Each structure stands twice: as C-alpha cells, then as structure tokens.
Amino acid sequence: MASIISRNVNKLRFLNSRLAQCRSPMPSPPIPDRTLPLLQPALPLGIGIQSFAMYQRCLFSTSTATVNPENQGDANSGEGEKSGESNKSSDGGRAVRGGPISWLSFLLLVATGAGVLFYYDREKKQHIEEINNASKAVKQGPSAGKAAIGGPFNLINHDGKKVTDRDFLGKWTLIYFGFTHCPDICPDELQKLATAVDKIKEKAGIEIVPVFISVDPERDTVEQVREYVKEFHPKLIGLTGTSDEVRSVARAYRVYYMKTAEEDSDYLVDHSIVMYLMSPNMQFVKFFGKNNDVDALADGIVKEIKQYKKQ
C-alpha cells in the first residue's frame, strides 16, 4: 500500500512539474493526443482529475499558441514572396528611387529647355528690333557712313607739273589706279571711264574730271604717262611720282599694288581695280568696281551726285 501511495505521489510531482513548465514563457512542443491514454491508466480514479484536466487544457493552449519554426520559416518566406511581388508591382508603376532619370526629372528638363529657348528667341527679336529702331533714328549727314578714303597727295601730272589734291577742289573727280604696261584690264577700265564721263556730260550736264594715277613709278615716267592717257580721253589727267609719293597716295586711298613675276625689265603689277568718285571738296563719295558696265557706272555716278546735292 505504501509503495502504491509513493508511486502516486511521484506521478503527481511529475504532473506538477509539467504544469510549471506550462506556466513558464518558454514554449514547449505539443504532446500528441495518443499520449493521453497512456497517462490515464497510470492515475487512480478520482485522484488528480482536476489537475490532469488543467494540464490537458494547458497542453492544448500551448500547442495552438506555439509556432513551428519550420512553419514560421515558410510563413516568413511566403511573406517575403508576397512583399517581393508587391515591390515588383509597385516598381512597375513608378521609377525605382535612386535611378538615373525619373519621369518627373525628365519633364522638368524638357520644360527648362523650352523656357531657355523661348527666352533666347525673345531676347534675339528684341535686340534686332532695337538695332532697327536705332538705325532708323540716325539722321543721314554728309559724313554718315563714309569710309576713311582719300587724303592729301603730291604728284606730277603728264605735263611735268606738280599737282596736289587741292588742285581738284570744286570739281567732281573720278580716279583710277593702274599702270601703262597693263596688257588688258587697265585699257578696258580706262575706256569704260572715258565713255561714262561723256555720257554723264551728255545726259545730266555734269562735268567729271577723269584722273589716272600710276602704281608703277619705276617705268611710268612723265613722257610714258602722257603718251598713254591721250589714247583714251582728251581730258584724262595722268599722275605719277616717286616711289614714296605713289606709296603714300595708294595708302591714303586704300589701294593694293605689288609687282608680280619679273623677267629682266618686264613685269606686271597686281593692283586693285576700283574707281573712286570724289566730291568737289575732295571727299570720298563712293567706289565702283569692275563689275559695273558703262551704263551702270554712269547711272551710279549721276545718282550719287544728285543725292549728295540734296544733303
């Protein structure tokens, strides 16, 4: 009898220890239902029934509240997959933060570029309009738009007399620079000049003094120039001088000239092909190039003289 009581006491102690474990925060693995039949025969009827019922409820509550680590890992992996899917779905709708370009930054860039182009175009139009207004506001005067061409000179005419720029004051003068050994260009231009002078005299009644200035002082002596100018027009005045004097007048009228291929004493002189119209006070009015024929030259000179007289 005593041995039976001691066994029952040991069993109750075991049950109490299990109940204590149920009350502790540490989870315990669930006990399958098949263990209950094994425990029930070991307990006498009417002894510890309430304790066993409490123990059974504790086991059931613990088993439902405790999460299996493997199941928890699966759950976490499932949640990770769901969160990954949600991230993928959200990534499809908007740019990933930290990417190189987003739609918002692209739109801002386009808007900024359009604004810059609009501002530049407006400023350009405004600047052009200001220039046009300023040019219209400027009053044309005798010296407006005139190039710094012309100036004093000292040369010798084809009669061997000293001539300066002051000898031509009070007359309209048309000056051409060339040389007497010129094979074709100078004769053509001087013939055009002489014909235009006669046409101006005939149509407009304006007398123009034609002048030829040599840029080859080494060969164009007074006698050479005299024989040359009388072939084109009786009123054509030929001028020559020393190398320094010719260089000075060419510089004043912005005339280019230079010797080219030289073979013994025969050479050519490359020079500007321009006619200069000078006013009665020996001020530059306009130049006429090689592209003007006789009619264009005559009409251009008459037009410039009429406009000059209106000022």
Side-chain angles (χ1 to χ4, degrees), residues 19 46-57:
L19 290 174
I47 299 175
I49 297 300
Q50 295 179 355
S51 299
F52 181 75
M54 293 176 60
Y55 173 68
Q56 188 175 5
R57 289 194 300 270

Side-chain angles (χ1 to χ4, degrees), residues 104-117:
L104 180 59
S105 61
F106 177 74
L107 293 177
L108 290 176
L109 179 62
V110 172
T112 303
V116 170
L117 291 177

Side-chain angles (χ1 to χ4, degrees), residues 1-14 42-44:
M1 187 67 180
S3 60
I4 295 173
I5 294 172
S6 61
R7 285 197 299 271
N8 290 333
V9 170
N10 292 331
K11 290 179 180 180
L12 290 176
R13 290 177 178 175
F14 175 76
L43 294 174

Side-chain angles (χ1 to χ4, degrees), residues 9-260:
V9 170
N10 292 331
K11 290 179 180 180
L12 290 176
R13 290 177 178 175
F14 175 76
L15 290 176
N16 288 330
S17 63
R18 299 297 295 177
L19 290 174
Q21 292 179 358
C22 291
R23 295 188 187 99
S24 64
M26 297 296 294
S28 58
I31 298 177
D33 295 340
R34 62 177 179 269
T35 58
L36 296 178
L38 296 177
L39 294 175
Q40 289 178 355
L43 294 174
L45 295 176
I47 299 175
I49 297 300
Q50 295 179 355
S51 299
F52 181 75
M54 293 176 60
Y55 173 68
Q56 188 175 5
R57 289 194 300 270
C58 178
L59 289 178
F60 276 56
S61 62
T62 306
S63 62
T64 56
T66 305
V67 179
N68 192 353
E70 296 179 358
N71 295 332
Q72 185 176 4
D74 295 337
N76 291 334
S77 64
E79 292 178 357
E81 292 177 357
K82 290 181 180 180
S83 63
E85 293 177 357
S86 63
N87 289 333
K88 291 179 180 179
S89 63
S90 63
D91 293 341
R94 63 180 181 180
V96 179
R97 181 178 297 178
I101 298 177
S102 65
W103 283 107
L104 180 59
S105 61
F106 177 74
L107 293 177
L108 290 176
L109 179 62
V110 172
T112 303
V116 170
L117 291 177
F118 174 77
Y119 176 79
Y120 174 76
D121 185 65
R122 186 184 65 178
E123 291 295 322
K124 181 179 178 181
K125 290 180 179 179
Q126 184 178 359
H127 183 63
I128 294 175
E129 185 177 358
E130 290 177 355
I131 293 176
N132 292 332
N133 293 334
S135 62
K136 292 178 181 179
V138 175
K139 295 181 179 180
Q140 297 295 333
S143 61
K146 304 301 181 183
I149 295 176
F153 60 82
N154 290 276
L155 296 171
I156 303 174
N157 67 6
H158 60 271
D159 293 329
K161 296 180 180 180
K162 287 286 185 178
V163 176
T164 67
D165 56 296
R166 300 183 63 85
D167 294 324
F168 297 94
L169 293 176
K171 307 170 186 177
W172 285 94
T173 308
L174 191 62
I175 302 176
Y176 176 79
F177 290 80
F179 64 108
T180 61
H181 290 74
C182 181
D184 49 8
I185 294 178
C186 289
D188 292 341
E189 291 299 301
L190 287 175
Q191 186 62 47
K192 181 171 63 176
L193 183 151
T195 306
V197 167
D198 291 339
K199 279 193 173 185
I200 294 171
K201 175 67 174 180
E202 179 183 354
K203 292 183 177 181
I206 303 173
E207 186 171 355
I208 306 293
V209 178
V211 178
F212 167 78
I213 299 179
S214 173
V215 292
D216 186 14
E218 296 180 6
R219 292 181 299 184
D220 288 344
T221 62
V222 173
E223 294 77 10
Q224 179 70 24
V225 172
R226 183 189 308 120
E227 294 298 324
Y228 186 73
V229 296
K230 69 180 183 180
E231 296 179 3
F232 299 99
H233 198 278
K235 293 186 178 181
L236 178 61
I237 298 175
L239 301 177
T240 186
T242 64
S243 297
D244 293 337
E245 292 171 343
V246 171
R247 188 181 304 110
S248 177
V249 67
R251 186 182 299 113
Y253 281 82
R254 306 295 190 267
V255 173
Y256 161 81
Y257 71 98
M258 183 182 67
K259 285 184 180 181
T260 58

